[in-house]
């Protein structure tokens, strides 16, 4: 880089949003702004973070300036902490930087001891820091001698790589400070660099920066603090202005020279898989080949063997060409471990199209039999990371993660992070706190956003003006808050958190790529999200906890305990009763097909095969919904419409989906076989059309597609246009076919258990809570399943929901579900275990005195047990509460009395049914009582002439009715053009209420807050899929609310 | 330094502050009693953004020395200048 000394050309100290509460611009924004202003290089130096590194390098490459990576390191010297700026001079320096950041994150103080900085010096340059830096602060205190000693020590550790940092923030005496720093540098024979500290891209963002600093410090803007800015001087200033502030040619030239020394490319062009365990004398390719062929001969026989062998040969060649054999073997090690330890695990996603994955036992779908497209998963042109997602029983995922860490080593295994960006509610909390809005007001405002606005990015806050007006009225803070919110960039990352399952396994120490830190929950994570990890050449495995697998596992164990049978979930028979259940739409609790829209589809489709089920699962997704696939698919499948193809050449691709686009693979195959693209092009094309925002962005793709189709299959322009329009409208999320097949297996297994072992299955889904329905709704559904609920009991309940054979009324003993003590809010697993252990030691508890003497439970835990009815068999609830109150004043819990005077309780009125029901819901979210919340207000409903949902089910379609129900689910998906879908419940009967956009707007607050909805409606559908089109709405208060499923 | 907070006028020449004029009796601002000082040196400049949440304006400060050896702290808010402190 030629050195021109007249003005500043490089920025060496820049903070982005990844300084978390200490920067307002994303790395991309900073780079683009720097390029616009004419800078040649920019360094990102976030505090103890390099999460912005990949974006920095990618955007810098795009706009043609040099990216440099560094970090601001808080260094502890004796009792004080000083920021130093470290810049990586090479890939080795980047690793040193990552090791230092890792070290700091491992400390509770989140800083670096001085000796640690001095021992990690490889290829790092150090700047002495801005205003709060060591030189400025010691000079201000006139501790010159100490400063000189420390600088000499630092120089010894970083020879030729230590620079006195000059800055000027337009604060009093900054110019003089710069002159003094230069004198110090001359005295110590150290170079100076002009390195203003940048915190935002635009001077107008100063206010946002100040507010974020206040939010980070937990202060209001009214409170002064030394960390708060005084002016807008830390914006990304022009080179001219920067030079005017610090007009020192040598320091300007030094900055440029240092940038030249720190230039290296962070982004490699190859993937680096982890190293698998391979027998001596074999390469990874040979071992993979051997394992696959051994398995091939056991899984395929006769006519199947030939095609399977050919598929395997082609796939192994691709894997070898990409050098990914280790990766497949490592994934197989994980599933091998799960299998050998009885943990349910199964690969999902595009990997299910791989015969290698099938033969290695990573997935359970035969890709040859189902004609799944391997190229969706991997092809030789694919530079991106292959996705191997493994679903693991959520109850045992931690066990698997612990094994992975032990197997691959602590330094080469970690989770990728999620970059958590602001949505309106969180931004209101942070910025509202900074503006001094009290918590109650902030919470009200967050609630007022409702489903309509809470998903908005803060930049679109003005769209939620109605909610701001409702809560803040004309308060001046409203305008200020709205202004701040609108300044937050959509990609502003507030913090990082562990990804749901993405584990990176590397060949080298992970600090080669990123620092490591621990989440608040103790999970070790990289400062890279999945895209960053891929850009840096890392490969991740998604080890995802799936609650349904945990439920299947638990149900299977209950069956074994009660019946002595072992249900092999891999070999379930094809059972007409399961298909009948699904066809009726009685799918609550079944994996992926329990939502109201899936219930409807179940009744229309009447699935009879696994292929039907895979298609049904894939059908109700944004991609097929947007592309208008759903209705033609259902009509054609049911023979109500002829199957047509846009072009004859598409028949082999779309025959099994009746001529419509259902899967991601359909788009890929059309791009290749119809438009003549290569697999690489098709892959890019699919990703682009599924997520484009501006039609102009895909215009080149349209031209390429149409020209390709005309040339490749002789399609007319009109035909090609029609197909392109269909592909283009496949927007948003759609399923890979392989993924749908993998999920169909779990769906069928859940249906099979539901049919044959309903009590065991119900206990399992109550414990693991997969799916969308609340415990209260599942408890109501238990009536329809014919599974009685037993009351929660201190002497019978355990840690999980269990099945018991019990007599209810005069009937013969039947399987019932007993809720656990852990279902009670405030009773932990440890409490429940203690109670269980005490019961095993000395038998059932005789009364509250006995319980109090034997188990040391805090009073609030005892009261929660009583309110939930766990002592109903021993005392009335009020009586028990009174006794606990008295006992707690006499001696500590868990101690025997010296004397045993019986507790005398006055005659208290027994708790009535309504109170019991309310207390049940408050403590356990359901009630074992055979009543529903609406039973408490039947009289009011009769006054309104509202009939029950059960009665509505017998009304004909198009009838007008007035009915009511407890709201248990609220959905307003983005694909529904403003329509909302609520599910209301009355006992075991549920109905879906469709609310038009117009009605929604008129009753926005009512529908947001309603617990019991009274609705005048037209009956659209009956039976299990009772559907009502709302014409008028009202709400009734209720003593219980249900925390149901909310989406959109 | 002594707090003053008096309206002032600053005249500029060749891009530098040249003279400052203020009235010790302000806000009466009798022109007859106005004091005028020639600025010999700009000692420092800085900026203060104000209480932005209360819509205060940004202030640009000058610390200057006059030919009589007096140090003056001045700021500009919008188009108006103010003598905030003096050291005479």
């Amino acid at each position: 880089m030629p050195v021109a000394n007249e003005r500043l050309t490089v920025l060496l100290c820049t903070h982005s949003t990844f300084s978390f509460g200490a920067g307002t611009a994303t790395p991309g924004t900073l780079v683009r702004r720097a390029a616009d202003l004419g800078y040649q290089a920019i360094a990102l130096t976030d505090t103890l973070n390099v999460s912005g590194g990949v974006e920095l390098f990618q955007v810098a490459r795009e706009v043609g300036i040099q990216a440099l990576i560094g970090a601001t390191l808080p260094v502890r010297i004796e009792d004080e902490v000083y920021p130093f700026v470290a810049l990586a001079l090479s890939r080795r320096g980047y690793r040193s930087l990552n090791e230092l950041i890792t070290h700091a994150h491992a400390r509770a103080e989140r800083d670096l001891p001085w000796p640690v900085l001095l021992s990690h010096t490889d290829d790092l340059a150090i700047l002495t820091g801005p205003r709060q830096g060591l030189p400025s602060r010691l000079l201000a205190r006139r501790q010159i001698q100490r400063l000189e000693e420390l600088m000499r020590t630092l120089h010894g550790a970083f020879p030729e790589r230590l620079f006195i940092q000059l800055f000027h923030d337009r604060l009093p005496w900054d110019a003089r400070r710069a002159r003094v720093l230069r004198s110090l540098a001359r005295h110590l024979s150290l170079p100076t660099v002009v390195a203003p500290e940048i915190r935002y891209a635009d001077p107008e963002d100063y206010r946002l920066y100040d507010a974020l600093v206040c939010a980070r410090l937990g202060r209001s803007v009214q409170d002064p603090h030394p960390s708060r800015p005084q002016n807008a001087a830390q914006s990304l200033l022009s080179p001219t202005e920067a030079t005017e502030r610090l007009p020192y040619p040598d320091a300007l030239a030094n900055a440029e020279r240092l940038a030249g020394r720190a230039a290296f490319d962070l982004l490699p062009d190859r993937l680096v898989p982890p190293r698998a365990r391979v027998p001596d004398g074999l390469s990874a390719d040979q071992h993979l080949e051997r394992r696959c062929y051994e398995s091939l001969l056991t899984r395929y026989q006769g006519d199947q063997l030939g095609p399977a062998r050919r598929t395997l040969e082609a796939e192994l060649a691709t894997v070898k060409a990409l050098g990914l054999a280790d990766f497949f073997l490592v994934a197989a090690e994980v599933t091998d471990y799960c299998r050998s330890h009885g943990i349910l695990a199964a690969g999902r996603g595009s990997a299910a199209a791989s015969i290698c994955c099938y033969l290695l036992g990573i997935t359970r779908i035969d890709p040859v039999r189902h004609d799944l497209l391997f190229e969706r998963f991997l092809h030789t042109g694919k530079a991106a990371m292959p996705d191997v997602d493994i679903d693991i029983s959520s109850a045992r995922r931690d066990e698997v993660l612990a094994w992975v860490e032990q197997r691959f080593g602590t330094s080469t295994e970690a989770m990728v992070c999620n970059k958590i960006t602001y949505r309106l509610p969180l931004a209101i909390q942070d910025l509202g706190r900074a503006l001094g809005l009290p918590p109650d007001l902030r919470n009200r405002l967050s609630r007022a956003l409702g489903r309509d606005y809470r998903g908005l990015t803060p930049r679109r806050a003005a769209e939620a003006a109605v909610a701001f007006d409702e809560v803040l009225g004309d308060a001046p803070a409203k305008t200020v808050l709205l202004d701040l919110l609108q300044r937050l960039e959509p990609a502003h990352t507030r913090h990082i958190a562990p990804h749901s399952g993405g584990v990176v396994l590397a060949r080298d120490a992970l600090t080669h790529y990123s620092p490591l830190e621990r989440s608040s929950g103790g999970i070790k994570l990289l400062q890279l999200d999945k895209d960053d990890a891929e850009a840096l050449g890392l490969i991740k495995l998604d080890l995802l906890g799936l609650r349904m697998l945990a439920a299947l596992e638990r149900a299977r164990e209950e069956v074994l305990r009660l019946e002595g049978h072992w249900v092999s979930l891999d070999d379930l028979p094809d059972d007409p009763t399961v298909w009948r259940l699904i066809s009726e739409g009685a799918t609550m609790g079944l994996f992926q097909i329990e939502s109201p829209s899936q219930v409807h589809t179940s009744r229309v489709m009447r699935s009879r095969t696994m292929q039907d089920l895979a298609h049904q699962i894939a059908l109700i997704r944004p991609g097929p919904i947007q592309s208008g696939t759903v209705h033609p698919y259902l009509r054609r499948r049911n023979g109500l419409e002829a199957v047509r193809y846009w072009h004859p050449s598409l028949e082999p691709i779309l025959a099994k989906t009746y001529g419509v686009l259902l899967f991601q693979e359909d788009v890929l195959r059309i791009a290749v076989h119809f438009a003549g693209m290569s697999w690489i092009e098709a892959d890019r094309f699919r990703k682009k059309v599924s997520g484009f925002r501006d039609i102009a962005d895909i215009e080149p793709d349209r031209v390429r597609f149409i020209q390709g189709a005309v040339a490749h299959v002789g399609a007319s322009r009109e035909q090609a246009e029609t197909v392109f329009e269909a592909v283009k409208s496949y927007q948003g999320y759609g399923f890979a076919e392989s993924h749908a097949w993998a999920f169909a297996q779990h769906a069928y297994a859940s249906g099979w258990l539901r049919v044959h072992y309903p009590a065991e299955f119900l206990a399992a889904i109550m414990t693991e809570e997969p799916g969308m329905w609340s415990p209260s709704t599942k408890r109501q559904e238990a009536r329809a399943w014919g599974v009685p609920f037993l009351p929660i009991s201190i002497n019978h309940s355990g840690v999980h929901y269990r099945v018991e054979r019990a007599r209810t009324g005069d009937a013969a003993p039947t399987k019932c579900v007993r809720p656990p003590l852990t279902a009670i809010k405030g009773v932990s697993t440890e409490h429940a275990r203690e109670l269980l252990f005490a019961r095993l030691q000395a038998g059932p508890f005789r009364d509250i005195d006995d319980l109090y003497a034997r188990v040391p439970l805090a009073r609030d835990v005892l009261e929660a047990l009583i309110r939930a009815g766990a002592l109903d068999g021993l005392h009335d609830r009020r009586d028990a509460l009174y006794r606990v109150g008295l006992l707690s004043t006499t001696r500590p819990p868990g101690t025997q009395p010296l004397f045993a005077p019986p507790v005398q309780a006055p005659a208290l009125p027994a708790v009535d049914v309504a109170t019991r029901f309310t207390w049940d819901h408050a403590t356990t979210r359901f009630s074992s009582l055979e009543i529903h919340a609406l039973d408490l207000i039947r009289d009011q409903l009769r006054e309104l002439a509202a009939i029950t949902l059960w009665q509505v089910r017998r009304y004909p379609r198009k009838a007008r009715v007035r009915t009511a129900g407890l709201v248990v689910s609220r959905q307003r998906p983005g694909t529904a053009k403003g329509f909302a879908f609520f599910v209301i419940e009355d006992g075991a009967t549920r109905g879906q209420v469709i609310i038009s956009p117009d009605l929604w707007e008129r009753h926005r607050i009512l529908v947001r807050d309603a617990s019991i909805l009274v609705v005048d409606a037209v009956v659209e559908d009956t039976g299990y899929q009772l559907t009502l089109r709302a014409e008028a709405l009202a709400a009734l208060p209720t003593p219980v609310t249900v925390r149901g499923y909310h989406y959109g | 330094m002594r707090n003053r907070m008096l309206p002032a006028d600053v005249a500029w020449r060749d891009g530098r502050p040249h003279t400052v004029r203020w009235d010790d009796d302000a806000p009466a601002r009798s022109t007859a009693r106005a004091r005028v000082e020639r600025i010999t040196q700009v000692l420092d400049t800085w900026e203060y953004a104000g209480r932005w949440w209360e819509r205060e304006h940004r202030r640009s400060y000058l610390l200057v020395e006059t030919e009589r050896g007096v140090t003056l702290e001045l700021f500009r808010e919008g188009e108006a200048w103010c003598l905030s402190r003096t050291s005479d």
Side-chain angles (χ1 to χ4, degrees), chain A residues 792 794 824 827 848 851 859-872 875-885 911 916 919-920 923:
Chain A
I792 209 160
I794 194 79
I824 303 168
V827 179
I848 186 72
L851 170 63
R859 181 174 169 177
D860 58 343
V861 177
L862 285 166
E863 287 181 349
L865 286 164
I866 294 166
R867 281 178 187 278
L871 276 82
D872 279 1
H875 300 275
D876 178 75
R877 296 185 193 182
R878 261 198 199 105
D879 179 53
L881 284 171
Y882 182 86
R883 285 167 188 274
V884 162
V911 173
R916 276 178 64 188
W919 285 8
D920 285 352
T923 50

Side-chain angles (χ1 to χ4, degrees), chain A residues 168 170-175 179 206-207 210-211 221-222 228 230-232 435 479-480 484, chain B residues 41-55 58-61 63 71 73:
Chain A
H168 190 308
R170 299 190 68 84
L171 289 178
W173 303 117
D174 268 5
R179 290 194 294 273
Y206 151 74
R207 299 189 296 276
D210 190 19
V221 286
Q222 303 289 352
R228 289 183 57 191
Q230 298 295 306
N231 59 35
L435 290 176
T479 317
V480 181
L484 291 176
Chain B
Q41 193 180 357
V42 177
L43 300 173
D44 199 12
T45 63
W46 69 93
E47 281 182 4
Y48 171 64
R51 298 159 73 88
W52 51 267
W53 57 97
E54 289 173 3
R55 305 203 173 282
R58 194 180 69 174
R59 291 177 181 179
S60 297
Y61 279 85
L63 190 70
T71 304
E73 183 187 277

Side-chain angles (χ1 to χ4, degrees), chain A residues 228-259:
Chain A
R228 289 183 57 191
Q230 298 295 306
N231 59 35
Q234 288 184 312
S235 70
L236 212 164
L237 69 182
S238 72
T240 309
E241 190 186 345
T243 311
E244 278 170 7
R245 287 192 206 171
L246 295 163
Y248 305 116
D250 59 321
L252 292 165
N254 286 340
E256 199 166 310
R257 277 194 211 98
L258 175 56

